[in-house]
Amino acid sequence: MENVAQMSVLQSEKVALQEMISTEKLPGIDSVVQTETEKKQIQSKELILNAEKKLHENINKKPVAPEEILAKIASEEKPPEILVKISTGSSENYGTIAQAQKEYCFVCDYEELRGLSNKDIQKKLGFETFNDIDLYATFIIPPKNVKVERVTFDSLKNDVRKKLLVDEKFSDNIKGIQDLNLFEDNVLNETRLDEIFKIYENTFGDDAVNSLEKPIKDFRSIIQSLYGTNPLFTGNYHTTTIDGDVGVREYIIKRFGSDWDNDRLQKEGFTIYETKILTGEKK
């Protein structure tokens, strides 16, 4: 009975996407294409339709083993063409493919979510709490000029450093943290920044973060608020569960300025489509 209901939902999602294609007045994939732009739009919609179908078809398949995830990381396999962001709120509520006002959009390979229950998906993605609530998959095909990369502590530190040097409001906020000692006579102390990020890198999990000295904890809180990281962030190329297990490969799309409005992104060449996702048996 549950599979019948799931198939019904999948069918309705297909219809919704097909209607979206129709609404945009894009011809069928075999129709005569007037421009190269139209052709690319059609191909992108077809790719996402197939990705959605594959994600739903995989719900009862065996989950990807952590060893396979680590092997892909070791091989430095390129990010997939279609990325997916999982959230507990639809774009109807947020209007973005990332959390509001966050400069990183964390995304993964949708195929690595196969065979997982609702709660297991949340665990795999490094959610700090998980519930039996609806999940949404936002499929994303970035334009060629937008870099998708593996996030590390070094890359996060470099982004923070750049922002400290060019964003006066941000640097003043950091300077306001008492006893952090990151600036000397308004000059950034690079050695101290390295020291702080070494502590950041070696502090994992909610309890450990809460036990940090207040200046370091306050610094981390500001970074988490800005970039969307959390106490489970480890900068090791994959998400990590609250128990410290391997999740899925993790990538980021970076756009400085927290400018994640879907309409604006689509005008810049992003292909974005959101659907409620089907998962395996709930545990």
Side-chain angles (χ1 to χ4, degrees):
M1 182 65 71
E2 184 173 349
N3 284 339
V4 172
Q6 290 176 333
M7 289 307 296
S8 175
V9 173
L10 176 55
Q11 184 60 34
S12 67
E13 297 290 359
K14 287 181 185 175
V15 171
L17 182 54
Q18 289 164 347
E19 286 178 353
M20 181 177 74
I21 295 173
S22 175
T23 301
E24 295 180 4
K25 298 179 180 179
L26 298 176
I29 195 69
D30 297 323
S31 300
V32 176
V33 179
Q34 298 300 320
T35 67
E36 190 64 26
T37 299
E38 278 184 335
K39 184 176 180 180
K40 289 179 179 178
Q41 287 176 327
I42 295 165
Q43 290 173 337
S44 293
K45 301 299 183 186
E46 293 281 336
L47 282 170
I48 285 185
L49 182 62
N50 290 331
E52 181 196 25
K53 179 180 177 183
K54 198 166 187 179
L55 178 58
H56 288 303
E57 286 179 343
N58 279 344
I59 60 175
N60 293 318
K61 291 189 177 182
K62 186 176 179 181
V64 179
E67 292 75 18
E68 187 175 342
I69 300 292
L70 293 173
K72 287 182 177 182
I73 291 171
S75 70
E76 297 189 358
E77 184 174 309
K78 292 182 179 179
E81 181 176 10
I82 304 173
L83 299 151
V84 66
K85 176 176 174 62
I86 304 298
S87 64
T88 56
S90 73
S91 61
E92 293 177 359
N93 295 326
Y94 298 109
T96 66
I97 61 171
Q99 295 179 53
Q101 307 305 315
K102 301 297 186 290
E103 294 196 1
Y104 285 179
C105 175
F106 290 91
V107 290
C108 67
D109 183 349
Y110 60 93
E111 291 199 51
E112 292 175 14
L113 303 176
R114 74 184 188 210
L116 298 175
S117 70
N118 184 311
K119 286 187 178 181
D120 282 341
I121 287 175
Q122 293 174 67
K123 290 177 182 178
K124 281 274 189 176
L125 293 174
F127 284 33
E128 296 170 89
T129 58
F130 17 89
N131 305 282
D132 283 327
I133 52 181
D134 291 335
L135 294 180
Y136 294 84
T138 303
F139 292 98
I140 307 161
I141 303 179
K144 299 299 182 184
N145 63 333
V146 173
K147 186 177 181 181
V148 177
E149 60 187 81
R150 305 195 299 181
V151 64
T152 65
F153 274 104
D154 280 344
S155 64
L156 177 62
K157 181 180 71 175
N158 288 336
D159 289 340
V160 170
R161 179 184 178 278
K162 289 176 185 176
K163 197 166 185 67
L164 284 168
L165 295 175
V166 302
D167 189 328
E168 186 176 348
K169 183 177 179 180
F170 175 67
S171 61
D172 284 347
N173 199 10
I174 296 297
K175 290 174 185 176
I177 301 176
Q178 191 173 3
D179 298 326
L180 184 64
N181 301 322
L182 187 53
F183 285 84
E184 294 179 359
D185 297 325
N186 285 325
V187 177
L188 179 64
N189 185 331
E190 301 280 358
T191 301
R192 177 58 174 163
L193 183 64
D194 289 342
E195 180 183 292
I196 290 172
F197 263 90
K198 184 58 66 176
I199 296 172
Y200 203 136
E201 185 174 353
N202 291 310
T203 307
F204 171 81
D206 200 49
D207 290 342
V209 171
N210 285 331
S211 297
L212 288 169
E213 294 181 0
K214 191 176 185 306
I216 303 296
K217 186 165 68 172
D218 289 348
F219 173 84
R220 182 161 184 152
S221 177
I222 291 174
I223 302 308
Q224 289 177 180
S225 177
L226 182 65
Y227 292 97
T229 58
N230 67 17
L232 298 181
F233 176 76
T234 60
N236 54 11
Y237 308 125
H238 63 76
T239 61
T240 305
T241 72
I242 202 164
D243 299 318
D245 296 327
V246 173
V248 297
R249 284 181 299 161
E250 184 170 50
Y251 302 95
I252 58 166
I253 302 171
K254 295 193 299 190
R255 297 183 78 252
F256 289 101
S258 305
D259 183 15
W260 287 105
D261 178 82
N262 277 358
D263 290 339
R264 195 168 298 176
L265 288 171
Q266 287 168 336
K267 289 177 182 177
E268 294 179 9
F270 282 80
T271 299
I272 301 170
Y273 171 66
E274 184 180 74
T275 176
K276 184 185 292 187
I277 65 172
L278 304 179
T279 62
E281 295 289 336
K282 293 182 178 180
K283 297 180 181 178

